[in-house]
Amino acid sequence: MSAAEPLLRVEDLRVEFPSEDGVVHAVDGISYQVHRGRTLGIVGESGSGKTVSSLTTLGLTRRQGASISGRILFAGRDLVTLPEEQLRAIRGNDIAMIFQDPLSALHPLYRVGRQLAEAVRAHQDVSKATARASAVELLGLVGIPDPARRAEEYPHEFSGGMRQRAMIAMALVNEPRLLIADEPTTALDVTVQAQILALMERLQRELGMAIVIITHDLGVVAEMADDIAVMYAGRIVETAAAPLVFSEPEHPYTWGLLKSIPTLDRPREEDLVPIPGSPPSLIHPPSGCHFHPRCPYAQPEHSRIDPLLVPVPTEPSHQVACLLEGDERRRLWAALRAGRTPEQALADAGETGALA
Amino acid sequence: MTGYIIRRLLWGVALLVIVCALTFVVFRIFPTGNPALMRAGRDPTPRLVAEIERVLGLGKPLTVQFWDYLKNVFLHFDLGYSYYSGESVRSLIAERLPATISLTVGAAVLWTLGGLGIGILSALRRHSLLDRAAMGTALVLVSAPEFWLGLVALFLFAEDIGKWKIFPGAGSYVPITSDPWKWFTSLIMPWFVLASGAAAVFARLTRGSLIETMEEDYIRTARAKGLPERQVVRQGVRSAFNPIVTLLGLEIGTLLGGALLIEVVFNIPGVGKLAYSALLQSDFSVIQGTVLLAAMFVIVANIVVDIAYAYLDPRVRYS
């Protein structure tokens, strides 16, 4: 499967927005690919550019005055340069998207069934009755009980989980080949989150589509993703198969993400370690490695050198953009995993090996 | 829903009674002039004045007068008789109503269509030349009083006194039944002048409202579904509609007030003109009649708007 041409291949994508304070570098040269039937998880804090890159895939940042460069190859066509009308034919048809807050993402004044039916009719030349029938069928497929009646209701009459199911149904009416899910479970209760993720996995198996799931929640990607790309300040800082990211993370930012989530199997006396500082400005991103102001292990020269996303020697599919030496990273992570704080880990690494 | 409508209607009636009481207090209790004296003609004898006061019931206690008035209004739709000409107020108003309806309905259509159209275009081409020009003009029109605009329009475009003799001037109104074309041309200037202020408010509100809704998540969803841009805009307009409908109800009152001024400036024999003459003559029953009519229009319009609002927005329907 992986030898074949990927369904979606993003190459050196850059998205910039003009703003009153200066140019916002929302996406700063990212590359990734998604194969048929696979799931890519894009992880990062808010403002890391993960949503913008996905909206750009659908051409939805064009009208915001974004300047876009790079290539987004979908089934052989470059979506960056595709004329609007052809892009519209792909949106909601070959590539569908679901959003974080299903209440605000559904039109409050139209019945749910109608909103699904119009998605059908935007791409298929069918009668209203036929579109309506597929709308009801899809609502049933995503587990909404009594779909014919619920189709007549308005979004505010649905519960949060039901709304997200309706959103998913709406995304799937045209059987897309790629589904982009932007924080699909963030606005939902934990138990409902699990249901929605299970639903997406089931539908992926049944329909064979590829999924890009965007989230800040590592639990969600652990559950869903085959591959993971970690984004920071508009760049991908680490990408690998999902198990590798959890077992052998290479980037200090990924370490920070992993150490800042509460887990049940860690001893309670062990403190969570938040990443210090706040996400950087995308108008004036930090020089050199964008993460260096928040990185406990940064060296003075890291503020001058731009790290490249390069393969880890032992595993070519695992790529990381970090200026630390590979051996040292391994020692630091070993110390962190043993429950040390970043300062202790740094001291340990300094004793056992030479810092650059 | 039915209960809601019934409650609203009852409230409307209560409001009308309050309006009656207010006009009664303002025009009968506060001293303005003795209507009997005005009715009696030149050099009246005290006996004649006393006789007229008796016929008009002006000697009765005020509470009795008010009660009689309410009974007549609500049970018989009888608004009394003009102190001045002795004609029934109801028929005085009925005679003049067509002219006022011609003026106000035309202006309301013009302002709604004009305001919505300009507002939508401005919102979709934000910061364009068209947007700037439209919003600049709107600001001028919002600020200009209607009677002044009316006079300016007459001085510029009236056939008799205008600089460019294009439209029929003041006093050219004829009923639609006698000459539809003349009716139409004579109302062009009044329509535009009366509509201008409200159209400007509407255009600005529509623009702001639509700009806001086009930023909503569900508009992004509509685009992500691959809907054609026309349909996307339609969904935005549909949401932008609610505040506009609310304003429509509020502007009915402004419309009637404006109609009075416009009828005076353009010498249109409508209810506003009637009210204006009645004011000058202290013709209380006519004033009360016209005020009551206007109040009824505003109340009914607002009930209609509230019901329309519940129909337009499913989220308020059941609360």
Side-chain angles (χ1 to χ4, degrees):
Chain A
M1 204 46 138
S2 59
E5 175 67 5
L7 180 64
L8 178 73
R9 192 163 78 204
V10 174
E11 289 175 354
D12 196 27
L13 179 68
R14 279 165 213 277
V15 186
E16 295 173 349
F17 295 98
S19 83
E20 283 176 15
D21 303 319
V23 177
V24 181
H25 306 272
V27 177
D28 193 13
I30 63 169
S31 304
Y32 60 82
Q33 46 193 24
V34 189
H35 289 272
R36 287 173 184 79
R38 307 272 290 178
T39 300
L40 170 73
I42 301 182
V43 187
E45 291 166 305
S46 23
S48 59
K50 49 197 188 343
T51 298
V52 170
S53 65
S54 301
L55 289 175
T56 305
T57 306
L58 286 180
L60 293 178
T61 50
R62 285 186 181 180
R63 63 177 56 247
Q64 293 166 16
S67 68
I68 302 162
S69 70
R71 299 208 294 170
I72 302 173
L73 293 168
F74 177 76
R77 287 199 281 181
D78 186 0
L79 304 184
V80 170
T81 53
L82 205 64
E84 174 62 25
E85 196 44 39
Q86 293 179 35
L87 198 54
R88 186 186 74 70
I90 288 179
R91 280 206 289 267
N93 194 17
D94 297 306
I95 307 177
M97 189 156 177
I98 58 180
F99 299 98
Q100 174 171 350
D101 181 356
L103 181 58
S104 63
L106 289 165
H107 200 297
L109 306 179
Y110 293 129
R111 294 173 204 277
V112 171
R114 182 210 151 132
Q115 299 192 45
L116 267 80
E118 74 187 5
V120 176
R121 277 162 63 84
H123 300 288
Q124 299 174 35
D125 189 16
V126 295
S127 71
K128 275 191 176 156
T130 315
R132 186 131 198 101
S134 15
V136 171
E137 189 195 325
L138 254 296
L139 286 175
L141 184 72
V142 297
I144 290 180
D146 199 359
R149 187 178 58 81
R150 300 304 296 248
E152 291 302 316
E153 294 185 350
Y154 291 92
H156 72 274
E157 297 172 76
F158 278 48
S159 69
M162 286 294 160
R163 275 181 215 131
Q164 195 57 292
R165 283 171 194 266
M167 230 12 243
I168 292 173
M170 191 156 81
L172 297 185
V173 279
N174 294 311
E175 298 188 8
R177 291 192 276 167
L178 174 66
L179 176 69
I180 301 174
D182 185 359
E183 304 268 7
T185 57
T186 307
L188 305 174
D189 289 343
V190 183
T191 48
V192 182
Q193 284 187 13
Q195 292 171 11
I196 294 292
L197 293 181
L199 171 68
M200 285 174 59
E201 281 184 314
R202 173 166 72 82
L203 295 170
Q204 180 177 31
R205 273 199 308 278
E206 285 170 18
L207 305 173
M209 64 194 170
I211 295 181
V212 173
I213 188 159
I214 302 167
T215 181
H216 65 276
D217 186 344
L218 283 171
V220 170
V221 284
E223 173 73 29
M224 293 281 294
D226 301 308
D227 302 292
I228 292 177
V230 179
M231 279 191 80
Y232 186 80
R235 293 179 179 170
I236 291 177
V237 293
E238 178 165 9
T239 175
L244 273 180
V245 171
F246 287 96
S247 61
E248 293 164 42
E250 291 279 347
H251 197 280
Y253 177 64
T254 316
W255 302 340
L257 287 179
L258 289 168
K259 296 301 281 183
S260 61
I261 48 171
T263 54
L264 291 174
D265 51 3
R266 210 179 307 163
R268 275 186 55 182
E269 50 275 13
E270 188 183 315
D271 289 332
L272 291 176
V273 186
I275 303 173
S278 50
S281 153
L282 295 176
I283 296 173
H284 305 291
S287 59
C289 172
H290 286 353
F291 189 57
H292 85 263
R294 297 171 73 187
C295 180
Y297 325 107
Q299 301 295 312
E301 66 268 25
H302 293 182
S303 64
R304 292 192 301 274
I305 312 167
D306 245 352
L308 294 171
L309 190 65
V310 289
V312 174
T314 49
E315 173 57 61
S317 73
H318 189 167
Q319 294 181 299
V320 64
C322 180
L323 296 167
L324 294 169
E325 292 298 329
D327 292 342
E328 191 189 344
R329 284 203 302 263
R330 230 143 292 133
R331 277 194 295 274
L332 286 169
W333 172 242
L336 286 174
R337 196 158 49 170
R340 305 287 195 148
T341 65
E343 293 74 28
Q344 291 165 341
L346 199 54
D348 291 358
E351 280 162 23
T352 50
L355 270 178
Chain B
M1 191 71 189
T2 326
Y4 174 75
I5 295 174
I6 290 172
R7 273 200 309 281
R8 291 290 320 196
L9 287 174
L10 286 178
W11 253 114
V13 173
L15 268 175
L16 274 181
V17 172
I18 294 170
V19 172
C20 276
L22 279 176
T23 52
F24 192 83
V25 168
V26 170
F27 294 116
R28 297 238 180 141
I29 299 178
F30 296 153
T32 40
N34 184 347
L37 210 57
M38 278 184 279
R39 260 324 275 288
R42 208 176 290 175
D43 291 334
T45 61
R47 254 195 65 201
L48 181 61
V49 173
E51 173 65 15
I52 294 171
E53 277 181 352
R54 193 186 62 76
V55 170
L56 294 180
L58 295 175
K60 292 186 199 168
L62 285 171
T63 45
V64 177
Q65 282 189 46
F66 183 57
W67 181 243
D68 288 345
Y69 181 68
L70 276 188
K71 264 198 309 202
N72 283 335
V73 168
F74 284 95
L75 298 180
H76 313 292
F77 297 108
D78 179 0
L79 298 166
Y81 295 87
S82 163
Y83 294 161
Y84 201 74
S85 64
E87 282 179 78
S88 120
V89 173
R90 192 170 62 179
S91 60
L92 278 175
I93 288 178
E95 259 169 47
R96 287 161 176 79
L97 209 49
T100 301
I101 289 176
S102 305
L103 175 65
T104 48
V105 170
V109 169
L110 197 62
W111 103 40
T112 312
L113 295 185
L116 282 179
I118 292 169
I120 290 172
L121 280 180
S122 275
L124 297 182
R125 311 216 175 123
R126 195 147 42 129
H127 305 315
S128 68
L129 197 63
L130 175 129
D131 177 29
R132 281 163 211 267
M135 288 306 115
T137 314
L139 189 64
V140 173
L141 291 179
V142 169
S143 323
E146 279 144 338
F147 61 87
W148 177 78
L149 270 184
L151 291 174
V152 170
L154 282 173
F155 281 125
L156 289 180
F157 304 117
E159 265 168 9
D160 41 9
I161 56 165
K163 205 160 160 44
W164 298 280
K165 303 182 187 314
I166 302 173
F167 299 115
S172 57
Y173 174 83
V174 295
I176 189 170
T177 43
S178 66
D179 185 345
W181 177 245
K182 239 188 125 193
W183 168 85
F184 180 77
T185 53
S186 72
L187 280 170
I188 290 177
M189 271 203 292
W191 278 335
F192 271 93
V193 172
L194 182 53
S196 62
V201 175
F202 261 67
R204 292 179 71 90
L205 181 83
T206 306
R207 176 182 183 271
S209 185
L210 186 57
I211 285 175
E212 216 170 277
T213 54
M214 291 306 282
E215 299 284 312
E216 294 281 354
D217 283 357
Y218 51 79
I219 295 299
R220 187 181 61 184
T221 306
R223 291 208 177 98
K225 277 195 271 191
L227 294 185
E229 193 58 21
R230 273 183 76 89
Q231 249 171 295
V232 175
V233 169
R234 202 184 305 153
Q235 297 203 348
V237 172
R238 174 68 180 76
S239 303
F241 225 64
N242 289 354
I244 298 169
V245 169
T246 311
L247 185 73
L248 193 64
L250 296 175
E251 285 285 323
I252 297 287
T254 321
L255 176 70
L256 294 177
L260 188 147
L261 298 171
I262 297 299
E263 284 177 11
V264 172
V265 170
F266 286 92
N267 197 13
I268 297 169
V271 180
K273 187 86 195 309
L274 177 72
Y276 175 76
S277 318
L279 276 168
L280 295 183
Q281 295 161 345
S282 300
D283 199 343
F284 300 142
S285 24
V286 177
I287 296 170
Q288 269 180 328
T290 53
V291 169
L292 215 53
L293 182 78
M296 200 180 76
F297 261 114
V298 173
I299 290 167
V300 168
N302 277 288
I303 291 175
V304 169
V305 163
D306 281 353
I307 292 168
Y309 199 81
Y311 174 75
L312 282 174
D313 191 341
R315 287 167 299 182
V316 304
R317 232 171 257 179
Y318 306 99
S319 50

